[in-house]
């Protein structure tokens, strides 16, 4: 039985494989990606439903870390890595943004 919350990278990869067409039946997502450009954006559902973005990781029992914000956790990095493996996104990092909350963090926003 699948776990309700992915925790390690292998769990996140399995969850993405379910959504991205490795399950039995037609692979509509794969077919769509072959014929059109997809602008994919990560949101909290790629990591955890309704996660407290910017909140201390210690507020949620799924985070083994007790210091730092959610986006600094292993759980977030695992979810982000699996998302990037299944979506063609350029890997960008914020630099010289002038804000210590984002400097050195993944730049996930596109337009």
């Amino acid at each position: 039985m699948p776990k309700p919350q992915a925790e390690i990278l292998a769990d996140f990869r399995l969850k993405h494989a379910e959504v991205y067409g490795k399950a039995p039946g037609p692979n509509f997502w794969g077919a769509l990606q072959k014929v059109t450009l997809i602008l994919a954006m990560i949101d909290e559902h790629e990591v955890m439903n309704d996660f407290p973005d910017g909140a201390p990781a210690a507020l949620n029992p799924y985070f083994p870390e007790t210091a730092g914000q959610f986006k600094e956790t292993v759980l977030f990095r695992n979810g982000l890595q699996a998302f990037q493996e299944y979506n063609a996104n350029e890997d960008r990092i914020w630099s010289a943004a002038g804000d210590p909350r984002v400097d050195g963090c993944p730049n996930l926003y596109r337009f």
Side-chain angles (χ1 to χ4, degrees):
M1 173 173 226
K3 296 181 349 182
Q5 169 63 46
E7 296 175 22
I8 61 173
L9 183 55
D11 295 342
F12 282 102
R13 286 177 173 150
L14 284 173
K15 295 282 186 183
H16 276 76
E18 289 174 12
V19 173
Y20 286 85
K22 306 249 186 210
N27 182 352
F28 295 115
W29 183 250
L32 181 64
Q33 285 184 316
K34 288 180 183 178
V35 298
T36 191
L37 176 67
I38 306 289
L39 180 62
M41 291 292 297
I42 190 170
D43 71 4
E44 83 273 5
H45 295 95
E46 269 69 59
V47 179
M48 173 187 291
N49 190 29
D50 299 328
F51 72 78
D53 184 23
L59 295 179
N60 192 304
Y62 278 110
F63 308 138
E65 296 90 345
T66 57
Q69 294 182 353
F70 176 76
K71 287 186 177 179
E72 299 168 334
T73 65
V74 171
L75 189 71
F76 179 80
R77 287 193 303 272
N78 286 339
L80 177 62
Q81 181 175 336
F83 175 80
Q84 289 177 318
E85 289 173 2
Y86 281 86
N87 292 280
N89 284 337
E90 179 183 5
D91 191 19
R92 297 182 187 173
I93 302 294
W94 286 104
S95 64
D99 187 338
R101 295 174 297 172
V102 297
D103 276 340
C105 293
N107 178 350
L108 305 173
Y109 305 100
R110 306 290 190 267
F111 60 91

